[in-house]
């Protein structure tokens, strides 16, 4: 059995939140989708052939790409990615977290969708509850440009701590 065959994507509407600026609209959760890249080629090969490959970088074998379909052009644009490699059937190492620099969707989705909580629930349901140890490197292999100006490093550290807490909760250890 391949662990990737049994991933569980949480309900998007559970992670919607009101933006701090009350004039902004909350995104429509039916416009969100998760694309799982791994089946035919590596995630980087699959993503490099997409029209949005200039907006984000993916350089690992597996990737979960959260996309949002913009109202104006009805195209699904990448919002964030989580890329990783499987070390074996029972260990996954997340190599990359990246938020999109596509201004057409990133601000709106970032302000009304809790991506970090979504990914954490995704990791718990798809891996931790199935006794798969998940790790996130102490130092990111790659973060979006100018991480000192964004919250990228803080989001990364917070998610790493939460993932470590899941490993403790489910008594998971690296094999």
């Amino acid at each position: 059995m391949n662990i990737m065959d049994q991933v569980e994507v949480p309900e998007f509407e559970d992670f919607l939140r009101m933006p701090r600026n009350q004039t902004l609209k909350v995104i429509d959760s039916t416009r969100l989708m998760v694309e799982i890249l791994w089946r035919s080629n590596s995630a980087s090969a699959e993503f490099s052939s997409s029209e949005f490959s200039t907006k984000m970088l993916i350089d690992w074998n597996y990737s979960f790409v959260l996309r949002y379909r913009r109202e104006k052009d009805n195209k699904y644009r990448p919002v964030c990615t989580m890329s990783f490699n499987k070390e074996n059937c029972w260990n996954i190492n997340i190599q990359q977290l990246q938020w999109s620099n596509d201004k057409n969707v990133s601000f709106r989705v970032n302000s009304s969708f809790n991506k970090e909580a979504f990914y954490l629930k995704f990791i718990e349901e798809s891996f931790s509850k199935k006794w798969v140890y998940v790790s996130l490197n102490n130092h990111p292999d790659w973060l979006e440009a100018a991480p000192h100006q964004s919250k990228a490093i803080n989001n990364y550290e917070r998610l790493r701590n939460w993932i470590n807490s899941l490993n403790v909760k489910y008594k998971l250890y690296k094999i």
Side-chain angles (χ1 to χ4, degrees), residues 28-43:
D28 178 1
S29 65
T30 62
R31 292 180 167 276
L32 287 165
M33 72 171 247
V34 171
E35 180 180 23
I36 301 171
L37 303 174
W38 74 282
R39 198 49 102 170
S40 60
N41 290 312
S42 69

Side-chain angles (χ1 to χ4, degrees), residues 17-27 108 111-112:
R17 61 181 174 201
M18 288 300 300
R20 281 182 250 176
N21 181 345
Q22 298 300 315
T23 61
L24 291 175
K25 285 176 44 179
V26 174
I27 63 169
R108 184 159 178 216
S111 63
S112 61

Side-chain angles (χ1 to χ4, degrees), residues 105-154:
V105 295
S106 63
F107 180 75
R108 184 159 178 216
V109 174
N110 288 337
S111 63
S112 61
F113 186 75
N114 190 340
K115 299 178 310 300
E116 295 84 8
F118 172 80
Y119 274 136
L120 187 66
K121 187 68 169 176
F122 180 79
I123 290 166
E124 181 175 22
E125 297 296 322
S126 297
F127 305 122
S128 299
K129 284 186 173 180
K130 296 174 182 173
W131 301 290
V132 175
Y133 178 87
V134 178
S135 61
L136 193 59
N137 294 347
N138 287 337
H139 301 288
D141 285 352
W142 196 92
L143 274 178
E144 62 200 46
H148 62 278
Q149 292 180 350
S150 71
K151 296 180 181 177
I153 196 72
N154 294 336

Side-chain angles (χ1 to χ4, degrees), residues 70-82:
R70 189 169 173 234
E71 292 88 347
K72 288 183 181 176
D73 60 12
N74 251 353
K75 284 187 180 179
Y76 276 102
R77 297 171 181 273
V79 175
C80 56
T81 63
M82 178 178 68

Side-chain angles (χ1 to χ4, degrees), residues 68-103:
Y68 182 73
R69 188 178 64 197
R70 189 169 173 234
E71 292 88 347
K72 288 183 181 176
D73 60 12
N74 251 353
K75 284 187 180 179
Y76 276 102
R77 297 171 181 273
V79 175
C80 56
T81 63
M82 178 178 68
S83 301
F84 61 92
N85 286 328
K86 282 185 356 180
E87 294 176 357
N88 57 44
C89 291
W90 304 107
N91 292 318
I92 289 177
N93 187 301
I94 298 172
Q95 304 285 329
Q96 173 194 26
L97 291 169
Q98 183 185 8
W99 317 135
S100 175
N101 64 1
D102 187 339
K103 304 287 187 251

